Amino acid sequence: MAKFIFFRSILSMSSTRPHINPQILTWARERVNYDPVQLAGKVPVPVNRYQQWERGEERPTHRQLYKLAKVLGRSPGIFHLRQPPEEPQPRLEMRRVYGVAPEEDSPAFSLDVQRIMNRRDIVLDLLEVLDEHAPEILVSASLQDNPEQIARAVREWLGVSTEDQINWENEGVALKAWRNILERKGILSFQMQAIPIDQVRGFALNYRPMPVIAFNSNDSVNGRIFTLFHEAGHILLGESVLHKQFLWQERDQHEFWCNRFSAAFLLPRDALLSHPILREKGEQAEWMIREVKTLSRLYKVSAAVMIRRLQTLNRINTSSYNTIQEEIDRYQPPESSGGGNFYNTQLARLGTFLPTLAFEGYYSGEISTRDLAVIMGTKVGNLGRFEEKVMGSTYAFR
């Protein structure tokens, strides 16, 4: 049985209150930035009673312990350990743009980082039990490297032409395709859910093997695509970093380099300059916003990225740039209607690499049905639908 199956409880449902290690309870709470008042309200119990649990003066019931475990994103069994497990602290390791302190992270964001790191651990364990090797990342970079040249090298490494990119049906298809391509090359990507965009836009964790990129589902699809490759730039530079602001607002040399890399990757110089519109207009040209949007839709990028790329390539005059930028800034995107398809939403969170490995692990007998359901974040009864979406058939769950 794979070593990552950490989510099973070792508790019995007897009438006695479980003996837990108060130190572990405090550690688990602090890992996700809950204060005692917040966590007590989630259980719910009076805060003085919760504080008695942390001091070891009282013990929660089985039901309360299960609730604590769910809120803290842990297995109930972890509270029986003698000492906290050794885990990386990615929130503390990330360089914070604009000096955002880890102590300011919301519990929702901290929990999402914890879940994302758990998913990476599962990927590594599945690769081990399936006797597969993590893909090796064959490109690296430094701030002294020209981002245009690195972008061309990454294009070649990924094996994606601009024709492939243009032929994708829409930006949603493009986002999924880019993620799948990166994951096959050894860079995981996960989508954060229900985190306000002013808290976090994206982050990169340069762990090897299988570094991680995360982006916010509350961002626009084109915004997520740009973030995906901006964060990929940080991984190529060997950095772990958290972004809170719109990426183009960042001014230090690392952010400038990654912005240039992402734009150059998504809008390759030679392909863009050979487009009939640009050949006709020439240098320092006048542009209308409808022309920019038409070109943006072709490459599945935002209008903001397009005009900045045109500016870098000296193909838009200052007056047009400023006018279009003002129109972009005034635009208010419609609010999300919420809801959506559960299966698609969950797969957007997980990507493709982890679900595929999980089903392969199930087929080979390395994990159980319940393990598979927990990895997929669903009930056992839904696995057939996930199998169809991930593996293309209902081989095991007809």
Side-chain angles (χ1 to χ4, degrees), residues 92-108:
L92 304 180
E93 296 167 9
M94 290 184 273
R95 181 173 64 86
R96 306 271 165 144
V97 175
Y98 285 100
V100 181
E103 293 76 14
E104 297 171 358
D105 293 341
S106 70

Side-chain angles (χ1 to χ4, degrees), residues 155 158 160-184 189 191 215 220-226 228-229 265-266 296-302 352:
R155 273 273 180 178
L158 297 183
V160 183
S161 68
T162 52
E163 289 76 16
D164 295 331
Q165 180 179 350
I166 288 170
N167 287 332
W168 289 329
E169 184 178 357
N170 54 48
E171 63 269 22
V173 173
L175 175 60
K176 184 176 181 180
W178 284 130
R179 293 180 68 187
N180 291 347
I181 291 162
L182 283 173
E183 290 188 331
R184 289 200 303 269
S189 65
Q191 182 166 279
F215 51 83
S220 67
V221 176
N222 283 331
R224 282 174 260 175
I225 291 173
F226 187 82
L228 184 66
F229 285 99
F265 177 86
L266 292 168
S296 300
R297 284 192 293 270
L298 185 66
Y299 286 91
K300 286 80 181 178
V301 299
S302 68
T352 299

Side-chain angles (χ1 to χ4, degrees), residues 211-243:
V212 174
I213 292 170
F215 51 83
N216 197 328
S217 65
N218 284 330
D219 202 352
S220 67
V221 176
N222 283 331
R224 282 174 260 175
I225 291 173
F226 187 82
T227 297
L228 184 66
F229 285 99
H230 180 99
E231 304 299 352
H234 283 291
I235 287 173
L236 297 177
L237 292 174
E239 300 177 332
S240 297
V241 62
L242 168 71
H243 294 97

Side-chain angles (χ1 to χ4, degrees), residues 233-292:
H234 283 291
I235 287 173
L236 297 177
L237 292 174
E239 300 177 332
S240 297
V241 62
L242 168 71
H243 294 97
K244 183 176 180 182
Q245 301 284 343
F246 179 55
L247 296 171
W248 287 102
Q249 294 173 346
E250 297 155 0
R251 292 289 179 255
D252 75 40
Q253 59 180 340
H254 298 259
E255 304 313 316
F256 180 76
W257 193 97
C258 291
N259 282 335
R260 289 284 303 276
F261 165 78
S262 184
F265 177 86
L266 292 168
L267 297 166
R269 181 183 185 278
D270 292 344
L272 190 60
L273 292 180
S274 66
H275 191 280
I277 294 179
L278 275 84
R279 288 206 309 268
E280 179 181 343
K281 284 181 174 292
E283 295 184 353
Q284 286 291 310
E286 182 177 342
W287 286 79
M288 305 293 290
I289 191 167
R290 58 178 175 78
E291 296 173 312
V292 171

Side-chain angles (χ1 to χ4, degrees), residues 107-140:
F109 171 64
S110 302
L111 279 165
D112 231 4
V113 175
Q114 182 172 285
R115 282 190 287 266
I116 285 169
M117 290 308 299
N118 284 343
R119 291 170 191 159
R120 175 180 177 269
D121 289 341
I122 292 170
V123 166
L124 294 178
D125 287 330
L126 280 167
L127 287 171
E128 181 179 340
V129 300
L130 292 171
D131 197 25
E132 297 182 16
H133 298 287
E136 183 181 357
I137 298 173
L138 299 178
V139 182
S140 62

